[in-house]
Amino acid sequence: MVKNKILRFIKKNPLATIGALVCILFFLVAIFAPLIATHDPLAQNFANRNRPPSSVHFFGTDNFGRDVFSRVVYGTRISLPAGFLVVIFSCIFGGIYGAVAGYFGKMLDEVLMRIVDIVMSFPSLVLAMALAAVFGKTMSNAILVIVLVWWPKYARMMRGLVLTVRETEYVAAAVALGEKKSHILFSTVIPNCVAPLLVMASADLGAAILMFSGLGFLGMGAAPPAPEWGAMVSDGAKMLNYWWVSVFPGAAIFIVSISFNFIGDALRDLLDPKLRNLE
Amino acid sequence: MNMLNYIGRRLLLMAIVMAGVVVITFTISHMVPGDPLVANLGQSAMSNPEIVAAYEEKWGLNKPLPEQFILYVRNMFKGDLGTSIRTKRPVLYDLSVYFPATVEMATLATFISVVFGMLFGVISAARRNKAADQVLRAVSLVGISIPAFWLALLMLYVFYFRLNIAPGSGRLSLAFLSYKSETGFLILDAIKNGNMALLKDVLSHIAMPSIVLAASTMGLMTRTVRSSMLDVMGQDYLRTARAKGLTERQVIMNHALKNGLIPSVTMFGLSYGSLLGGTVLVETIFDYPGLGWYAYQSATTLDYPAIMGVTLVIALINCVMSLLIDIIYAFIDPRVRY
């Protein structure tokens, strides 16, 4: 029964299946990075700078003679957690914020949602860059500033979800039982909105990783010499004849983000009732 | 009458949001660690007590925060966004120099993404779940997922470094560097004066960055158009159209398109602002002297007046855009209740 369902999903969503497999592969790489990497990702070797890909250095070496393959492998330990942390923190903050706005409504809702409008009207990358420059360029600050520009999206989603759940009978029952409003919000309303919010948010993992590596590329992300993919692309950007220095880490970002987007696309279709009726 | 009310209400909301934007930029520029005087004047000007005193007076730095805020707003209405530490010029002047370059690029990118996004989206919806649909959806996902800075480097590598058929960077070739623009918009200049050599040079420089910038919006546009077309195509009036014996082509072209493209108006408005912001990565790589390039240079040198100027301008454009979109929407979609 379950097996049939899975098979049907795979047949209907070949791209999502590929995406899921690739993501699992990258997670395994992150977990077993020390076993997979052929060199120390930070070890410099100036005698061996900018060497093209070979059987010793699969992806060649960079300007400091570091092994690009090992750096890409260890880079999974930076970019994947960063993407997840951005989405999780944005969801927690934006989710509670949106739930409060949607549940209590009226003036509070009006004020809270105007603040969302304000933050959303800022250009996210420019604002993130400005904030990263203020806070200092570290990996945790990069995550923090992306969360600061990202949470409004989830606040809007959550508010929408809460507005529908608020009208359900089980919430009416809780009200009739005389429970406190804040108690109903956290014990009845929010738990019923979390699952759809998380599904929607997971579709953003690819975008979160893109944004994080974009900051890294601009030199506002994880501090060197950490093997962060965006920063690695930027290492090679000024020397096009050593293409391998930026091509491989860039490809890693691209593959991870498109895999998450393959999954996200299927999830979106699944959640969209209009599209479901058409199939 | 209702419509006027609606527009009035929207204008009021926009004013509130804009005020909030100003509060936030003010807060961030006062969050700069260390002495705000050093942050805003730069180390060298600090040694001159006259400059320091004049600056303190102008921005009210010795007064309480609320008063500083009022001065900040008053100076802003006078068009004074402060002086850039890096370029030593008024920020507003700098913006007027770099803004047209970015508008040219963002407009071209919007054009590319709208044309291809609509085309791909409509085809994708018409051929739902067929091979063409799968291919176009994959293409749009590639556009959304590819890091802009990486795509830019790949294109530079292939078309500039290997094939040498495209210029590497900048907005103009060396031969035109002394060219003084009348409007700031080089494409307009060239067309107005019939200067074909200039036009060719500008277009060859702007082509690659615009394509890179357009990639992700094109993908989002395809997705939006596809899903709204599918939504429309499931509706009763299309079944009626088919029942009348119209061909599928006529059904789509004459009936579905009109309603199916309405949501893409929203996409269009949202994307223009995000394209302006997205120029940071693209302009940095192509050394294209626009707003994004200016923002990046300012951020790396902690040039606060400058980067807040860019942020403010783009945020205000976003506000105006979303107002325009809402008004257009109310006109073209009779279901909108106002």
Side-chain angles (χ1 to χ4, degrees), chain A residues 121 130 134 240 257 261 269 279, chain B residues 129 137 145 150 157 304 318:
Chain A
S121 64
V134 178
L240 290 177
S257 105
N261 278 331
D269 280 3
E279 305 299 338
Chain B
N129 292 339
R137 288 179 85 181
S145 317
W150 188 62
Y157 182 76
Y304 266 84
N318 275 338

Side-chain angles (χ1 to χ4, degrees), chain A:
Chain A
M1 183 66 184
V2 175
K3 206 174 146 195
N4 277 340
K5 263 192 171 166
I6 293 174
L7 278 176
R8 234 180 59 200
F9 179 84
I10 292 176
K11 221 178 138 195
K12 254 179 81 178
N13 300 286
L15 290 180
T17 312
I18 297 172
L21 291 177
V22 174
C23 285
I24 293 171
L25 182 75
F26 269 87
F27 281 116
L28 292 176
V29 169
I31 295 168
F32 298 109
L35 300 177
I36 297 165
T38 52
H39 294 73
D40 177 348
L42 302 180
Q44 304 184 353
N45 180 355
F46 282 90
N48 211 2
R49 292 170 59 186
N50 300 324
R51 292 291 163 82
S54 64
S55 57
V56 184
H57 299 287
F58 302 143
F59 294 172
T61 63
D62 69 6
N63 206 19
F64 293 94
R66 296 174 297 202
D67 181 55
V68 175
F69 174 73
S70 306
R71 287 175 69 73
V72 170
V73 166
Y74 271 94
T76 52
R77 291 186 161 193
I78 297 180
S79 296
L80 293 181
F84 274 94
L85 288 175
V86 164
V87 171
I88 290 170
F89 284 132
S90 306
C91 260
I92 294 176
F93 182 70
I96 294 177
Y97 186 99
V100 168
Y103 189 67
F104 293 103
K106 300 200 185 97
M107 262 321 271
L108 184 66
D109 181 31
E110 198 62 35
V111 171
L112 290 179
M113 293 325 281
R114 287 302 77 74
I115 294 175
V116 164
D117 289 347
I118 291 166
V119 180
M120 281 191 113
S121 64
F122 281 102
S124 50
L125 189 58
V126 179
L127 187 60
M129 191 173 71
L131 289 172
V134 178
F135 293 155
K137 303 159 191 172
T138 65
M139 177 169 162
S140 44
N141 281 346
I143 294 172
L144 173 72
V145 299
I146 301 178
V147 171
L148 282 177
V149 297
W150 263 42
W151 65 269
K153 223 165 112 175
Y154 303 112
R156 276 196 186 162
M157 278 184 199
M158 190 63 163
R159 178 176 173 272
L161 290 169
V162 167
L163 285 181
T164 42
V165 168
R166 197 175 66 169
E167 305 306 324
T168 54
E169 276 155 14
Y170 53 82
V171 174
V175 174
L177 283 174
E179 286 183 38
K180 267 202 295 197
K181 266 199 147 185
S182 55
H183 182 74
I184 298 175
L185 175 63
F186 282 96
S187 64
T188 311
V189 177
I190 290 183
N192 280 295
C193 299
V194 165
L197 182 76
L198 284 183
V199 173
M200 283 192 249
S202 66
D204 288 336
L205 277 168
I209 289 174
L210 266 191
M211 177 102 172
F212 179 76
S213 62
L215 275 184
F217 178 83
L218 292 172
M220 309 278 172
E228 195 277 316
W229 291 337
M232 290 168 71
V233 175
S234 140
D235 287 343
K238 293 289 171 217
M239 23 183 226
L240 290 177
N241 42 339
Y242 308 129
W243 55 268
W244 53 88
V245 178
S246 32
V247 164
F248 291 111
I253 305 169
F254 173 51
I255 293 170
V256 168
S257 105
I258 201 168
S259 303
F260 278 122
N261 278 331
F262 278 159
I263 303 172
D265 217 35
L267 287 177
R268 212 186 318 262
D269 280 3
L270 222 69
L271 278 180
D272 192 342
K274 288 181 240 154
L275 295 182
R276 223 178 323 171
N277 295 339
L278 273 175
E279 305 299 338

